[in-house]
Amino acid sequence: MHFKPDYTIKAKARLVVCGYSQIRNVDYFETYAPTTNTKVVFTMLMIAMRHQYKVATFDVSAAFLEGVNDVIQYAWIPAELCDNNNKPLRVKVKGNWYGEKQGPKIWNDKLDHILKTMGFSRCPSMPCLYLYKDNENIMIITVHVDDGLIVTNNDSLIDNFMTAFLSFVQKAELYRDHRRYLGMDFNINDNNIIVTQQQYIKEQFNNYNTKVNTPMSSTTNLRTAIPNGNNESLLPVCGRLRYLADRCRPDILVATGEISTGGANNPSDQHV
């Protein structure tokens, strides 16, 4: 389930092409597209807190439909979606499309062009990070695919940015009061910024209701624990725990690492 920053459900319905049928160097070339990381996000929030800057987020709707295809391609539209005597229809792909191998790169190239046209400079070491600065104003933006985080010293600069940005894309939404980014929720006031992932925890761990009031013992050695073939793999849950540990819950990092050791296949009862 996908949520918008204001916690309303984000409904998605997409017509996706079969990217697996594309041939390298014929239907696509480069596929690389950068993604931001939590270090960038936390650094931006620290700057905002230190200087009392404004924070906002934005979301680009149907970002992968933006941009122009970099090669000539054709696709078959399913017969169920065509008014073609119940036959599939062959079409030429003009723009970008969900499912294309180069889709993320085409969108990122367009985004980079838009922001540079608007006066932003791209960070050479963090390609998702952009800076706008004049004599009085400063705006820092990081973009993770189609989700953006804004930090600025001038509140009106946020509205000016969105007005200009919307002249380049079909649709984008700005969120001021509800701040949700990369699965993290920001509660911002004059004194601090609290980062939580309560919604993610509720979604992912609702079935885990066993409560233990003490942390894992420092003398526990799961490497000597006896595997139990009746226990399901802990690999999926360890991945979700690591996602939390790398963002808002560093206190569970050691325990998560220990459980991951030997927990992938036939984990012991002690692992569980």
Side-chain angles (χ1 to χ4, degrees):
M1 185 178 296
H2 296 273
F3 290 91
K4 295 182 180 181
D6 59 0
Y7 292 103
T8 57
I9 296 177
K10 186 176 183 179
K12 293 185 177 181
R14 293 172 177 165
L15 180 63
V16 181
V17 297
C18 303
Y20 57 79
S21 65
Q22 290 181 267
I23 302 174
R24 185 178 180 84
N25 294 327
V26 176
D27 300 312
Y28 72 96
F29 297 96
E30 293 182 326
T31 60
Y32 169 78
T35 55
T36 194
N37 59 43
T38 53
K39 292 180 181 178
V40 171
V41 174
F42 288 154
T43 301
M44 289 177 63
L45 293 178
M46 290 172 63
I47 292 173
M49 194 69 259
R50 173 65 178 81
H51 298 285
Q52 294 296 292
Y53 286 176
K54 304 298 182 180
V55 178
T57 60
F58 67 92
D59 172 68
V60 182
S61 302
F64 280 16
L65 299 182
E66 303 281 354
V68 179
N69 216 317
D70 55 351
V71 296
I72 298 176
Q73 292 193 91
Y74 296 88
W76 288 100
I77 302 296
E80 295 81 3
L81 301 179
C82 300
D83 184 15
N84 191 37
N85 297 322
N86 203 30
K87 295 180 180 180
L89 183 66
R90 191 168 187 256
V91 297
K92 183 177 181 179
V93 180
K94 292 185 177 181
N96 200 12
W97 211 343
Y98 281 94
E100 283 190 331
K101 291 183 180 294
Q102 69 269 45
K105 181 183 183 299
I106 292 176
W107 158 241
N108 187 261
D109 287 346
K110 175 166 183 175
L111 175 67
D112 180 61
H113 174 73
I114 292 172
L115 293 178
K116 287 180 177 177
T117 301
M118 293 172 61
F120 285 85
S121 300
R122 191 178 199 177
C123 177
S125 59
M126 290 290 181
C128 291
L129 187 63
Y130 291 84
L131 172 68
Y132 172 85
K133 189 175 183 180
D134 59 25
N135 294 332
E136 299 179 353
N137 301 312
I138 182 172
M139 176 178 279
I140 308 170
I141 289 180
T142 188
V143 183
H144 184 85
V145 188
D146 56 357
D147 294 319
L149 176 67
I150 301 173
V151 168
T152 179
N153 67 328
N154 188 340
D155 188 63
S156 62
L157 211 60
I158 298 176
D159 293 323
N160 294 339
F161 165 80
M162 284 304 299
T163 300
F165 189 71
L166 284 170
S167 67
F168 293 97
V169 299
Q170 297 180 47
K171 184 180 179 181
E173 295 183 80
L174 175 68
Y175 302 93
R176 288 179 176 273
D177 299 325
H178 305 280
R179 304 171 183 91
R180 196 166 195 260
Y181 194 67
L182 297 187
M184 297 179 288
D185 302 301
F186 308 144
N187 184 3
I188 303 176
N189 56 46
D190 294 336
N191 300 316
N192 56 39
I193 298 178
I194 300 175
V195 184
T196 70
Q197 288 182 280
Q198 293 183 19
Q199 186 64 39
Y200 178 84
I201 292 172
K202 289 179 180 178
E203 293 174 14
Q204 300 295 330
F205 299 96
N206 188 48
N207 294 329
Y208 297 89
N209 51 21
T210 301
K211 296 182 179 181
V212 178
N213 296 322
T214 57
M216 186 183 74
S217 171
S218 59
T219 61
T220 299
N221 185 2
L222 294 179
R223 290 162 182 78
T224 62
I226 300 174
N228 186 344
N230 295 322
N231 290 330
E232 296 182 358
S233 172
L234 294 178
L235 192 60
V237 70
C238 284
R240 296 194 291 269
L241 289 171
R242 183 57 193 260
Y243 180 80
L244 291 171
D246 289 342
R247 288 160 177 78
C248 301
R249 294 297 302 272
D251 56 307
I252 67 170
L253 183 58
V254 172
T256 301
E258 290 297 313
I259 295 171
S260 301
T261 305
N265 299 310
N266 304 324
S268 69
D269 293 340
Q270 199 169 2
H271 276 81
V272 176

